[in-house]
Amino acid sequence: MAPRPRPLDLTGPDLLTTEQIAALVAGHQGRAIRRWLDVPAFGGTLKAFAAGGVLPGPEAKTGGEHFSEWLARQPPRLPRR
């Protein structure tokens, strides 16, 4: 049996940290980030995220819109349940 081809990576144009995303969302909501807490990565999955192991590869197809453009179309606050 022939090996399966690797699936194509798809990615948006932005490479943002969680701190950058939090700042953009907070600014969109008209507030500042109150505090930022760095927590060390533990476990295989979080360590992979921290090391950038879950980022798309060099053959990835880049497209779509920037996160800030998408965010601008969203309501400032999501309704609470």
Side-chain angles (χ1 to χ4, degrees), residues 11-25 36 49-50 52 54-56 65-71:
T11 181
D14 297 322
L15 177 59
L16 303 171
T17 65
T18 53
E19 189 172 7
Q20 291 170 319
I21 292 170
L24 286 169
V25 171
W36 186 259
F49 272 99
V54 295
L55 295 174
E65 63 186 326
H66 293 278
F67 180 72
S68 58
E69 295 168 345
W70 173 84
L71 187 61

Side-chain angles (χ1 to χ4, degrees), residues 8-11 56-62:
L8 178 66
D9 285 334
L10 301 174
T11 181
E59 301 296 321
K61 299 295 181 192
T62 302

Side-chain angles (χ1 to χ4, degrees), residues 30-56:
R31 60 183 181 81
I33 296 176
R34 293 184 195 161
R35 66 181 80 114
W36 186 259
L37 177 64
D38 283 322
V39 178
F42 60 91
T45 301
L46 291 181
K47 286 180 181 177
F49 272 99
V54 295
L55 295 174

